[in-house]
Amino acid sequence: METLQFKYILASAVYSLLGVVILVIAFWLVDRLTPENTWKELVHNKNIALAIVVGAFIIAIGMIISSAIHS
C-alpha cells in the first residue's frame, strides 16, 4: 500500500485548497476590475451572456491552476 501514503493525500488536499483559493482571488480581482457588479448582473438581471463568460473564465483559470500544480 505504498501508493496510499499519508503524505500524498495531504499534498493533494493542500494543492486542492491552494487552487480553490487562487481561483477565488482571481475571480474577485476580475470582478473588481470590471465596471459592473458581476454577481448582481448574474443573479438579479439574469445576464446569460455574462454567465457564459464567467463560466468560461472559471474553467480557464482552473485549467491553468491545475497544470501549474501538476507540473
Side-chain angles (χ1 to χ4, degrees):
M1 292 293 239
E2 198 170 304
T3 58
L4 281 176
Q5 291 181 354
F6 179 71
K7 65 180 181 178
Y8 296 125
I9 295 171
L10 181 64
S12 178
V14 168
Y15 285 135
S16 297
L17 183 64
L18 181 65
V20 169
V21 168
I22 292 171
L23 180 66
V24 168
I25 290 171
F27 181 75
W28 177 81
L29 185 64
V30 168
D31 189 35
R32 294 292 161 222
L33 293 176
T34 55
E36 290 291 326
N37 184 352
T38 306
W39 189 252
K40 180 183 172 192
E41 279 292 316
L42 289 175
V43 175
H44 296 296
N45 298 339
K46 299 188 188 324
N47 190 338
I48 301 296
L50 182 62
I52 292 170
V53 169
V54 168
F57 170 78
I58 289 174
I59 290 171
I61 295 296
M63 290 174 68
I64 292 170
I65 294 168
S66 171
S67 66
I69 288 174
H70 286 292
S71 43

Short mmCIF file of all heavy atoms in Angstrom, two decimals:
data_model
loop_
_atom_site.label_atom_id
_atom_site.label_comp_id
_atom_site.label_asym_id
_atom_site.label_seq_id
_atom_site.Cartn_x
_atom_site.Cartn_y
_atom_site.Cartn_z
N MET A 1 0.83 -1.19 0.00
CA MET A 1 0.00 0.00 0.00
C MET A 1 0.88 1.26 0.00
O MET A 1 0.58 2.23 0.66
CB MET A 1 -0.91 0.02 1.22
CG MET A 1 -1.97 -1.02 1.23
SD MET A 1 -3.03 -0.63 -0.02
CE MET A 1 -4.54 -0.36 0.29
N GLU A 2 1.90 1.22 -0.74
CA GLU A 2 2.81 2.36 -0.80
C GLU A 2 2.20 3.54 -1.54
O GLU A 2 2.58 4.68 -1.33
CB GLU A 2 4.12 1.94 -1.48
CG GLU A 2 5.25 2.89 -1.21
CD GLU A 2 6.56 2.32 -1.69
OE1 GLU A 2 6.92 1.21 -1.26
OE2 GLU A 2 7.20 3.00 -2.49
N THR A 3 1.23 3.27 -2.42
CA THR A 3 0.64 4.36 -3.19
C THR A 3 -0.31 5.22 -2.37
O THR A 3 -0.56 6.36 -2.72
CB THR A 3 -0.13 3.79 -4.40
OG1 THR A 3 -1.14 2.91 -3.93
CG2 THR A 3 0.80 3.08 -5.35
N LEU A 4 -0.83 4.70 -1.27
CA LEU A 4 -1.76 5.47 -0.44
C LEU A 4 -1.08 5.94 0.84
O LEU A 4 -1.58 5.73 1.93
CB LEU A 4 -2.97 4.63 -0.08
CG LEU A 4 -4.04 4.51 -1.15
CD1 LEU A 4 -5.14 3.57 -0.71
CD2 LEU A 4 -4.62 5.86 -1.47
N GLN A 5 0.02 6.62 0.68
CA GLN A 5 0.70 7.15 1.84
C GLN A 5 0.06 8.47 2.25
O GLN A 5 -0.51 9.20 1.43
CB GLN A 5 2.18 7.37 1.56
CG GLN A 5 2.93 6.07 1.38
CD GLN A 5 4.40 6.31 1.12
OE1 GLN A 5 4.81 7.44 0.97
NE2 GLN A 5 5.16 5.24 1.06
N PHE A 6 0.17 8.77 3.52
CA PHE A 6 -0.46 9.96 4.07
C PHE A 6 0.07 11.24 3.44
O PHE A 6 -0.68 12.19 3.22
CB PHE A 6 -0.27 9.99 5.60
CG PHE A 6 -0.88 11.20 6.24
CD1 PHE A 6 -2.26 11.33 6.33
CD2 PHE A 6 -0.09 12.21 6.74
CE1 PHE A 6 -2.83 12.45 6.91
CE2 PHE A 6 -0.65 13.33 7.33
CZ PHE A 6 -2.02 13.45 7.41
N LYS A 7 1.36 11.27 3.11
CA LYS A 7 1.94 12.50 2.56
C LYS A 7 1.35 12.84 1.20
O LYS A 7 1.19 14.01 0.87
CB LYS A 7 3.46 12.41 2.49
CG LYS A 7 3.99 11.38 1.54
CD LYS A 7 5.51 11.38 1.54
CE LYS A 7 6.03 10.34 0.57
NZ LYS A 7 7.47 10.34 0.51
N TYR A 8 0.97 11.84 0.41
CA TYR A 8 0.36 12.10 -0.89
C TYR A 8 -1.06 12.62 -0.74
O TYR A 8 -1.49 13.51 -1.47
CB TYR A 8 0.37 10.85 -1.76
CG TYR A 8 1.76 10.38 -2.11
CD1 TYR A 8 2.16 9.09 -1.83
CD2 TYR A 8 2.67 11.24 -2.71
CE1 TYR A 8 3.43 8.66 -2.15
CE2 TYR A 8 3.95 10.82 -3.02
CZ TYR A 8 4.33 9.52 -2.74
OH TYR A 8 5.59 9.11 -3.05
N ILE A 9 -1.78 12.07 0.22
CA ILE A 9 -3.15 12.55 0.48
C ILE A 9 -3.11 13.97 1.02
O ILE A 9 -3.90 14.83 0.59
CB ILE A 9 -3.86 11.60 1.45
CG1 ILE A 9 -4.04 10.22 0.81
CG2 ILE A 9 -5.20 12.17 1.89
CD1 ILE A 9 -4.55 9.16 1.74
N LEU A 10 -2.20 14.26 1.92
CA LEU A 10 -2.06 15.60 2.47
C LEU A 10 -1.64 16.60 1.38
O LEU A 10 -2.19 17.70 1.30
CB LEU A 10 -1.05 15.61 3.61
CG LEU A 10 -0.82 16.95 4.29
CD1 LEU A 10 -2.10 17.41 4.97
CD2 LEU A 10 0.31 16.85 5.29
N ALA A 11 -0.70 16.21 0.54
CA ALA A 11 -0.25 17.10 -0.54
C ALA A 11 -1.39 17.38 -1.51
O ALA A 11 -1.57 18.52 -1.96
CB ALA A 11 0.92 16.48 -1.27
N SER A 12 -2.18 16.38 -1.82
CA SER A 12 -3.33 16.57 -2.70
C SER A 12 -4.35 17.52 -2.09
O SER A 12 -4.88 18.40 -2.79
CB SER A 12 -3.98 15.22 -2.99
OG SER A 12 -5.10 15.38 -3.79
N ALA A 13 -4.62 17.39 -0.82
CA ALA A 13 -5.57 18.27 -0.15
C ALA A 13 -5.05 19.71 -0.10
O ALA A 13 -5.80 20.66 -0.34
CB ALA A 13 -5.85 17.77 1.26
N VAL A 14 -3.77 19.87 0.18
CA VAL A 14 -3.18 21.21 0.25
C VAL A 14 -3.21 21.88 -1.12
O VAL A 14 -3.59 23.05 -1.26
CB VAL A 14 -1.74 21.16 0.81
CG1 VAL A 14 -1.02 22.48 0.62
CG2 VAL A 14 -1.78 20.79 2.28
N TYR A 15 -2.82 21.15 -2.15
CA TYR A 15 -2.83 21.72 -3.51
C TYR A 15 -4.25 22.03 -3.98
O TYR A 15 -4.48 23.01 -4.67
CB TYR A 15 -2.13 20.79 -4.49
CG TYR A 15 -0.63 20.80 -4.36
CD1 TYR A 15 0.10 19.63 -4.36
CD2 TYR A 15 0.07 22.00 -4.25
CE1 TYR A 15 1.47 19.63 -4.25
CE2 TYR A 15 1.44 22.02 -4.13
CZ TYR A 15 2.14 20.84 -4.13
OH TYR A 15 3.50 20.85 -4.02
N SER A 16 -5.21 21.20 -3.61
CA SER A 16 -6.60 21.48 -3.98
C SER A 16 -7.08 22.75 -3.30
O SER A 16 -7.72 23.60 -3.95
CB SER A 16 -7.49 20.31 -3.58
OG SER A 16 -7.13 19.16 -4.28
N LEU A 17 -6.81 22.89 -2.03
CA LEU A 17 -7.20 24.09 -1.31
C LEU A 17 -6.50 25.32 -1.88
O LEU A 17 -7.13 26.37 -2.06
CB LEU A 17 -6.87 23.93 0.18
CG LEU A 17 -7.29 25.08 1.09
CD1 LEU A 17 -8.81 25.23 1.08
CD2 LEU A 17 -6.80 24.85 2.50
N LEU A 18 -5.23 25.20 -2.20
CA LEU A 18 -4.49 26.30 -2.79
C LEU A 18 -5.08 26.70 -4.14
O LEU A 18 -5.23 27.90 -4.45
CB LEU A 18 -3.01 25.92 -2.96
CG LEU A 18 -2.09 26.96 -3.55
CD1 LEU A 18 -1.99 28.16 -2.63
CD2 LEU A 18 -0.73 26.37 -3.81
N GLY A 19 -5.47 25.72 -4.95
CA GLY A 19 -6.08 26.00 -6.23
C GLY A 19 -7.40 26.73 -6.10
O GLY A 19 -7.69 27.67 -6.84
N VAL A 20 -8.22 26.31 -5.15
CA VAL A 20 -9.52 26.97 -4.93
C VAL A 20 -9.31 28.40 -4.44
O VAL A 20 -10.00 29.33 -4.89
CB VAL A 20 -10.37 26.16 -3.93
CG1 VAL A 20 -11.59 26.94 -3.48
CG2 VAL A 20 -10.78 24.84 -4.54
N VAL A 21 -8.35 28.61 -3.56
CA VAL A 21 -8.08 29.96 -3.06
C VAL A 21 -7.60 30.87 -4.20
O VAL A 21 -8.06 32.01 -4.33
CB VAL A 21 -7.04 29.92 -1.91
CG1 VAL A 21 -6.51 31.30 -1.57
CG2 VAL A 21 -7.65 29.27 -0.68
N ILE A 22 -6.72 30.37 -5.04
CA ILE A 22 -6.23 31.16 -6.17
C ILE A 22 -7.38 31.47 -7.13
O ILE A 22 -7.48 32.58 -7.65
CB ILE A 22 -5.07 30.44 -6.88
CG1 ILE A 22 -3.84 30.42 -5.97
CG2 ILE A 22 -4.73 31.12 -8.20
CD1 ILE A 22 -2.72 29.56 -6.49
N LEU A 23 -8.25 30.51 -7.36
CA LEU A 23 -9.40 30.72 -8.25
C LEU A 23 -10.33 31.80 -7.69
O LEU A 23 -10.78 32.68 -8.43
CB LEU A 23 -10.16 29.42 -8.44
CG LEU A 23 -11.39 29.48 -9.33
CD1 LEU A 23 -10.99 29.80 -10.76
CD2 LEU A 23 -12.15 28.18 -9.29
N VAL A 24 -10.61 31.77 -6.41
CA VAL A 24 -11.48 32.77 -5.79
C VAL A 24 -10.83 34.15 -5.85
O VAL A 24 -11.50 35.14 -6.17
CB VAL A 24 -11.82 32.37 -4.34
CG1 VAL A 24 -12.46 33.52 -3.58
CG2 VAL A 24 -12.70 31.15 -4.32
N ILE A 25 -9.54 34.23 -5.60
CA ILE A 25 -8.84 35.51 -5.67
C ILE A 25 -8.85 36.05 -7.10
O ILE A 25 -9.08 37.25 -7.32
CB ILE A 25 -7.40 35.38 -5.14
CG1 ILE A 25 -7.43 35.17 -3.62
CG2 ILE A 25 -6.57 36.61 -5.48
CD1 ILE A 25 -6.09 34.82 -3.02
N ALA A 26 -8.64 35.19 -8.09
CA ALA A 26 -8.66 35.63 -9.49
C ALA A 26 -10.04 36.13 -9.87
O ALA A 26 -10.17 37.17 -10.55
CB ALA A 26 -8.22 34.48 -10.40
N PHE A 27 -11.08 35.43 -9.46
CA PHE A 27 -12.45 35.88 -9.77
C PHE A 27 -12.75 37.20 -9.08
O PHE A 27 -13.35 38.10 -9.67
CB PHE A 27 -13.46 34.82 -9.37
CG PHE A 27 -14.87 35.22 -9.69
CD1 PHE A 27 -15.33 35.20 -11.00
CD2 PHE A 27 -15.73 35.65 -8.70
CE1 PHE A 27 -16.62 35.61 -11.31
CE2 PHE A 27 -17.02 36.04 -8.99
CZ PHE A 27 -17.46 36.02 -10.30
N TRP A 28 -12.33 37.34 -7.84
CA TRP A 28 -12.56 38.58 -7.10
C TRP A 28 -11.85 39.74 -7.78
O TRP A 28 -12.40 40.84 -7.91
CB TRP A 28 -12.07 38.43 -5.66
CG TRP A 28 -12.22 39.68 -4.86
CD1 TRP A 28 -13.34 40.14 -4.25
CD2 TRP A 28 -11.19 40.64 -4.61
NE1 TRP A 28 -13.07 41.33 -3.62
CE2 TRP A 28 -11.76 41.66 -3.83
CE3 TRP A 28 -9.85 40.74 -4.96
CZ2 TRP A 28 -11.03 42.76 -3.41
CZ3 TRP A 28 -9.13 41.83 -4.54
CH2 TRP A 28 -9.72 42.84 -3.76
N LEU A 29 -10.62 39.51 -8.24
CA LEU A 29 -9.85 40.54 -8.91
C LEU A 29 -10.52 40.98 -10.21
O LEU A 29 -10.65 42.18 -10.49
CB LEU A 29 -8.43 40.05 -9.18
CG LEU A 29 -7.46 41.05 -9.78
CD1 LEU A 29 -7.23 42.19 -8.80
CD2 LEU A 29 -6.15 40.37 -10.10
N VAL A 30 -10.97 40.03 -11.00
CA VAL A 30 -11.66 40.37 -12.25
C VAL A 30 -12.98 41.09 -11.95
O VAL A 30 -13.35 42.03 -12.66
CB VAL A 30 -11.89 39.10 -13.10
CG1 VAL A 30 -12.84 39.38 -14.25
CG2 VAL A 30 -10.56 38.60 -13.63
N ASP A 31 -13.67 40.67 -10.91
CA ASP A 31 -14.92 41.33 -10.53
C ASP A 31 -14.68 42.78 -10.14
O ASP A 31 -15.49 43.65 -10.45
CB ASP A 31 -15.57 40.56 -9.38
CG ASP A 31 -16.97 41.06 -9.07
OD1 ASP A 31 -17.69 41.45 -10.02
OD2 ASP A 31 -17.35 41.05 -7.89
N ARG A 32 -13.58 43.06 -9.48
CA ARG A 32 -13.26 44.43 -9.08
C ARG A 32 -12.81 45.27 -10.27
O ARG A 32 -13.00 46.49 -10.27
CB ARG A 32 -12.15 44.45 -8.01
CG ARG A 32 -12.59 43.84 -6.71
CD ARG A 32 -13.66 44.71 -6.06
NE ARG A 32 -14.37 43.91 -5.08
CZ ARG A 32 -15.67 43.94 -4.90
NH1 ARG A 32 -16.42 44.70 -5.62
NH2 ARG A 32 -16.24 43.19 -4.01
N LEU A 33 -12.20 44.66 -11.27
CA LEU A 33 -11.69 45.41 -12.41
C LEU A 33 -12.77 45.72 -13.45
O LEU A 33 -12.60 46.64 -14.25
CB LEU A 33 -10.55 44.64 -13.09
CG LEU A 33 -9.27 44.51 -12.26
CD1 LEU A 33 -8.27 43.64 -12.99
CD2 LEU A 33 -8.67 45.88 -11.97
N THR A 34 -13.85 44.98 -13.45
CA THR A 34 -14.93 45.23 -14.40
C THR A 34 -15.84 46.33 -13.88
O THR A 34 -15.99 46.51 -12.67
CB THR A 34 -15.75 43.95 -14.66
OG1 THR A 34 -16.22 43.43 -13.41
CG2 THR A 34 -14.92 42.90 -15.37
N PRO A 35 -16.46 47.09 -14.80
CA PRO A 35 -17.27 48.23 -14.35
C PRO A 35 -18.57 47.84 -13.64
O PRO A 35 -19.03 48.57 -12.77
CB PRO A 35 -17.57 49.00 -15.64
CG PRO A 35 -17.33 48.04 -16.73
CD PRO A 35 -16.34 47.03 -16.23
N GLU A 36 -19.16 46.73 -14.00
CA GLU A 36 -20.42 46.31 -13.38
C GLU A 36 -20.17 45.30 -12.27
O GLU A 36 -19.15 44.61 -12.26
CB GLU A 36 -21.35 45.68 -14.42
CG GLU A 36 -21.90 46.65 -15.43
CD GLU A 36 -22.90 47.62 -14.81
OE1 GLU A 36 -23.64 47.22 -13.89
OE2 GLU A 36 -22.94 48.76 -15.27
N ASN A 37 -21.12 45.19 -11.35
CA ASN A 37 -21.07 44.17 -10.32
C ASN A 37 -21.49 42.85 -10.95
O ASN A 37 -22.65 42.67 -11.33
CB ASN A 37 -21.99 44.56 -9.16
CG ASN A 37 -21.91 43.60 -8.01
OD1 ASN A 37 -21.28 42.55 -8.10
ND2 ASN A 37 -22.54 43.96 -6.92
N THR A 38 -20.55 41.93 -11.08
CA THR A 38 -20.79 40.68 -11.80
C THR A 38 -21.89 39.87 -11.14
O THR A 38 -22.78 39.34 -11.82
CB THR A 38 -19.49 39.86 -11.87
OG1 THR A 38 -18.47 40.68 -12.43
CG2 THR A 38 -19.66 38.63 -12.72
N TRP A 39 -21.86 39.75 -9.84
CA TRP A 39 -22.85 38.92 -9.15
C TRP A 39 -24.26 39.50 -9.31
O TRP A 39 -25.22 38.77 -9.52
CB TRP A 39 -22.48 38.78 -7.68
CG TRP A 39 -23.33 37.78 -6.97
CD1 TRP A 39 -24.31 38.04 -6.07
CD2 TRP A 39 -23.31 36.36 -7.16
NE1 TRP A 39 -24.88 36.86 -5.66
CE2 TRP A 39 -24.28 35.82 -6.32
CE3 TRP A 39 -22.55 35.51 -7.94
CZ2 TRP A 39 -24.53 34.47 -6.23
CZ3 TRP A 39 -22.80 34.16 -7.87
CH2 TRP A 39 -23.77 33.65 -7.02
N LYS A 40 -24.37 40.82 -9.23
CA LYS A 40 -25.67 41.47 -9.41
C LYS A 40 -26.20 41.23 -10.83
O LYS A 40 -27.38 40.96 -11.03
CB LYS A 40 -25.55 42.96 -9.14
CG LYS A 40 -26.85 43.71 -9.30
CD LYS A 40 -26.64 45.20 -9.08
CE LYS A 40 -27.90 45.94 -9.44
NZ LYS A 40 -27.68 47.38 -9.51
N GLU A 41 -25.31 41.34 -11.81
CA GLU A 41 -25.72 41.11 -13.19
C GLU A 41 -26.17 39.66 -13.40
O GLU A 41 -27.12 39.40 -14.13
CB GLU A 41 -24.56 41.42 -14.14
CG GLU A 41 -24.39 42.88 -14.45
CD GLU A 41 -25.53 43.44 -15.28
OE1 GLU A 41 -25.97 42.79 -16.24
OE2 GLU A 41 -26.00 44.53 -14.94
N LEU A 42 -25.48 38.73 -12.77
CA LEU A 42 -25.83 37.32 -12.94
C LEU A 42 -27.14 36.96 -12.25
O LEU A 42 -28.00 36.31 -12.83
CB LEU A 42 -24.71 36.42 -12.41
CG LEU A 42 -23.43 36.36 -13.21
CD1 LEU A 42 -22.39 35.54 -12.49
CD2 LEU A 42 -23.68 35.82 -14.59
N VAL A 43 -27.29 37.38 -11.02
CA VAL A 43 -28.43 36.94 -10.21
C VAL A 43 -29.68 37.79 -10.45
O VAL A 43 -30.75 37.24 -10.72
CB VAL A 43 -28.04 36.95 -8.71
CG1 VAL A 43 -29.23 36.61 -7.85
CG2 VAL A 43 -26.91 35.97 -8.46
N HIS A 44 -29.54 39.09 -10.36
CA HIS A 44 -30.73 39.94 -10.44
C HIS A 44 -31.17 40.21 -11.88
O HIS A 44 -32.35 40.18 -12.18
CB HIS A 44 -30.48 41.27 -9.71
CG HIS A 44 -30.25 41.10 -8.25
ND1 HIS A 44 -31.22 40.60 -7.40
CD2 HIS A 44 -29.16 41.32 -7.47
CE1 HIS A 44 -30.76 40.55 -6.17
NE2 HIS A 44 -29.50 40.98 -6.19
N ASN A 45 -30.20 40.47 -12.76
CA ASN A 45 -30.55 40.79 -14.15
C ASN A 45 -30.57 39.58 -15.07
O ASN A 45 -30.93 39.70 -16.23
CB ASN A 45 -29.59 41.85 -14.70
CG ASN A 45 -29.67 43.15 -13.92
OD1 ASN A 45 -30.66 43.41 -13.25
ND2 ASN A 45 -28.65 43.95 -14.02
N LYS A 46 -30.13 38.43 -14.55
CA LYS A 46 -30.13 37.16 -15.29
C LYS A 46 -29.45 37.31 -16.66
O LYS A 46 -29.99 36.92 -17.69
CB LYS A 46 -31.53 36.62 -15.44
CG LYS A 46 -32.18 36.33 -14.10
CD LYS A 46 -33.49 35.62 -14.28
CE LYS A 46 -34.28 35.46 -13.02
NZ LYS A 46 -33.63 35.23 -11.81
N ASN A 47 -28.25 37.85 -16.64
CA ASN A 47 -27.47 38.08 -17.86
C ASN A 47 -26.82 36.76 -18.28
O ASN A 47 -25.80 36.35 -17.72
CB ASN A 47 -26.42 39.16 -17.60
CG ASN A 47 -25.75 39.63 -18.84
OD1 ASN A 47 -25.73 38.93 -19.85
ND2 ASN A 47 -25.17 40.82 -18.77
N ILE A 48 -27.40 36.09 -19.26
CA ILE A 48 -26.93 34.77 -19.70
C ILE A 48 -25.56 34.87 -20.36
O ILE A 48 -24.70 34.02 -20.16
CB ILE A 48 -27.95 34.12 -20.66
CG1 ILE A 48 -29.30 33.97 -19.98
CG2 ILE A 48 -27.45 32.79 -21.19
CD1 ILE A 48 -29.30 33.04 -18.80
N ALA A 49 -25.34 35.91 -21.16
CA ALA A 49 -24.05 36.08 -21.83
C ALA A 49 -22.92 36.23 -20.81
O ALA A 49 -21.85 35.63 -20.95
CB ALA A 49 -24.08 37.28 -22.76
N LEU A 50 -23.16 37.00 -19.78
CA LEU A 50 -22.15 37.17 -18.73
C LEU A 50 -21.93 35.86 -17.97
O LEU A 50 -20.81 35.54 -17.59
CB LEU A 50 -22.56 38.28 -17.77
CG LEU A 50 -21.57 38.59 -16.66
CD1 LEU A 50 -20.24 39.06 -17.24
CD2 LEU A 50 -22.13 39.63 -15.72
N ALA A 51 -22.99 35.10 -17.76
CA ALA A 51 -22.86 33.81 -17.09
C ALA A 51 -21.97 32.87 -17.90
O ALA A 51 -21.14 32.14 -17.33
CB ALA A 51 -24.23 33.19 -16.87
N ILE A 52 -22.11 32.88 -19.21
CA ILE A 52 -21.26 32.04 -20.06
C ILE A 52 -19.81 32.50 -19.98
O ILE A 52 -18.89 31.67 -19.88
CB ILE A 52 -21.79 32.06 -21.51
CG1 ILE A 52 -23.14 31.36 -21.58
CG2 ILE A 52 -20.79 31.43 -22.47
CD1 ILE A 52 -23.86 31.52 -22.89
N VAL A 53 -19.59 33.80 -20.00
CA VAL A 53 -18.22 34.33 -19.91
C VAL A 53 -17.60 33.99 -18.56
O VAL A 53 -16.44 33.58 -18.48
CB VAL A 53 -18.22 35.86 -20.15
CG1 VAL A 53 -16.87 36.47 -19.80
CG2 VAL A 53 -18.58 36.16 -21.58
N VAL A 54 -18.35 34.14 -17.48
CA VAL A 54 -17.83 33.82 -16.14
C VAL A 54 -17.53 32.33 -16.03
O VAL A 54 -16.50 31.94 -15.48
CB VAL A 54 -18.83 34.29 -15.05
CG1 VAL A 54 -18.47 33.71 -13.70
CG2 VAL A 54 -18.86 35.80 -14.99
N GLY A 55 -18.42 31.49 -16.57
CA GLY A 55 -18.16 30.05 -16.55
C GLY A 55 -16.92 29.69 -17.32
O GLY A 55 -16.10 28.87 -16.87
N ALA A 56 -16.74 30.30 -18.50
CA ALA A 56 -15.53 30.05 -19.29
C ALA A 56 -14.28 30.54 -18.56
O ALA A 56 -13.23 29.88 -18.59
CB ALA A 56 -15.64 30.72 -20.65
N PHE A 57 -14.40 31.67 -17.88
CA PHE A 57 -13.27 32.20 -17.11
C PHE A 57 -12.89 31.24 -15.99
O PHE A 57 -11.70 30.96 -15.78
CB PHE A 57 -13.63 33.57 -16.52
CG PHE A 57 -12.65 34.08 -15.53
CD1 PHE A 57 -11.46 34.63 -15.94
CD2 PHE A 57 -12.91 34.01 -14.17
CE1 PHE A 57 -10.53 35.10 -15.03
CE2 PHE A 57 -12.00 34.46 -13.25
CZ PHE A 57 -10.80 35.02 -13.68
N ILE A 58 -13.87 30.73 -15.28
CA ILE A 58 -13.59 29.82 -14.17
C ILE A 58 -12.95 28.52 -14.68
O ILE A 58 -12.00 28.01 -14.09
CB ILE A 58 -14.87 29.55 -13.36
CG1 ILE A 58 -15.24 30.80 -12.58
CG2 ILE A 58 -14.70 28.37 -12.41
CD1 ILE A 58 -16.56 30.72 -11.86
N ILE A 59 -13.45 28.00 -15.79
CA ILE A 59 -12.86 26.79 -16.37
C ILE A 59 -11.42 27.06 -16.80
O ILE A 59 -10.52 26.26 -16.54
CB ILE A 59 -13.72 26.28 -17.54
CG1 ILE A 59 -15.03 25.72 -17.01
CG2 ILE A 59 -12.97 25.22 -18.35
CD1 ILE A 59 -16.04 25.39 -18.09
N ALA A 60 -11.18 28.19 -17.47
CA ALA A 60 -9.84 28.51 -17.95
C ALA A 60 -8.86 28.70 -16.80
O ALA A 60 -7.74 28.15 -16.84
CB ALA A 60 -9.89 29.77 -18.82
N ILE A 61 -9.23 29.46 -15.80
CA ILE A 61 -8.34 29.66 -14.65
C ILE A 61 -8.11 28.34 -13.92
O ILE A 61 -7.00 28.05 -13.47
CB ILE A 61 -8.90 30.74 -13.70
CG1 ILE A 61 -8.94 32.09 -14.40
CG2 ILE A 61 -8.10 30.83 -12.42
CD1 ILE A 61 -7.58 32.63 -14.78
N GLY A 62 -9.15 27.52 -13.81
CA GLY A 62 -8.99 26.20 -13.18
C GLY A 62 -8.02 25.32 -13.93
O GLY A 62 -7.22 24.61 -13.33
N MET A 63 -8.06 25.36 -15.27
CA MET A 63 -7.12 24.57 -16.06
C MET A 63 -5.69 25.09 -15.90
O MET A 63 -4.75 24.29 -15.81
CB MET A 63 -7.53 24.60 -17.54
CG MET A 63 -8.79 23.81 -17.82
SD MET A 63 -9.37 23.99 -19.50
CE MET A 63 -8.08 23.16 -20.39
N ILE A 64 -5.52 26.39 -15.84
CA ILE A 64 -4.19 26.97 -15.64
C ILE A 64 -3.64 26.60 -14.27
O ILE A 64 -2.48 26.19 -14.15
CB ILE A 64 -4.25 28.50 -15.81
CG1 ILE A 64 -4.54 28.85 -17.27
CG2 ILE A 64 -2.95 29.15 -15.35
CD1 ILE A 64 -4.86 30.31 -17.49
N ILE A 65 -4.46 26.72 -13.25
CA ILE A 65 -4.02 26.36 -11.89
C ILE A 65 -3.70 24.87 -11.82
O ILE A 65 -2.70 24.47 -11.23
CB ILE A 65 -5.09 26.76 -10.86
CG1 ILE A 65 -5.23 28.27 -10.79
CG2 ILE A 65 -4.77 26.19 -9.48
CD1 ILE A 65 -6.44 28.75 -10.03
N SER A 66 -4.53 24.04 -12.43
CA SER A 66 -4.32 22.59 -12.42
C SER A 66 -3.00 22.22 -13.09
O SER A 66 -2.23 21.41 -12.56
CB SER A 66 -5.48 21.90 -13.13
OG SER A 66 -5.21 20.54 -13.31
N SER A 67 -2.72 22.82 -14.23
CA SER A 67 -1.48 22.48 -14.91
C SER A 67 -0.26 23.03 -14.17
O SER A 67 0.80 22.42 -14.18
CB SER A 67 -1.49 23.00 -16.35
OG SER A 67 -1.50 24.41 -16.37
N ALA A 68 -0.43 24.16 -13.51
CA ALA A 68 0.69 24.70 -12.72
C ALA A 68 0.98 23.84 -11.50
O ALA A 68 2.14 23.66 -11.12
CB ALA A 68 0.37 26.13 -12.28
N ILE A 69 -0.05 23.29 -10.89
CA ILE A 69 0.14 22.46 -9.70
C ILE A 69 0.72 21.09 -10.07
O ILE A 69 1.58 20.56 -9.38
CB ILE A 69 -1.18 22.32 -8.94
CG1 ILE A 69 -1.51 23.65 -8.26
CG2 ILE A 69 -1.12 21.20 -7.91
CD1 ILE A 69 -2.86 23.67 -7.59
N HIS A 70 0.28 20.53 -11.19
CA HIS A 70 0.71 19.18 -11.55
C HIS A 70 2.09 19.13 -12.19
O HIS A 70 2.65 18.06 -12.34
CB HIS A 70 -0.31 18.53 -12.50
CG HIS A 70 -1.55 18.11 -11.80
ND1 HIS A 70 -1.58 17.08 -10.88
CD2 HIS A 70 -2.81 18.59 -11.85
CE1 HIS A 70 -2.79 16.95 -10.41
NE2 HIS A 70 -3.57 17.86 -10.99
N SER A 71 2.63 20.28 -12.59
CA SER A 71 3.95 20.21 -13.21
C SER A 71 5.05 20.65 -12.30
O SER A 71 5.00 20.77 -11.18
CB SER A 71 4.00 21.03 -14.48
OG SER A 71 3.37 22.26 -14.37
#
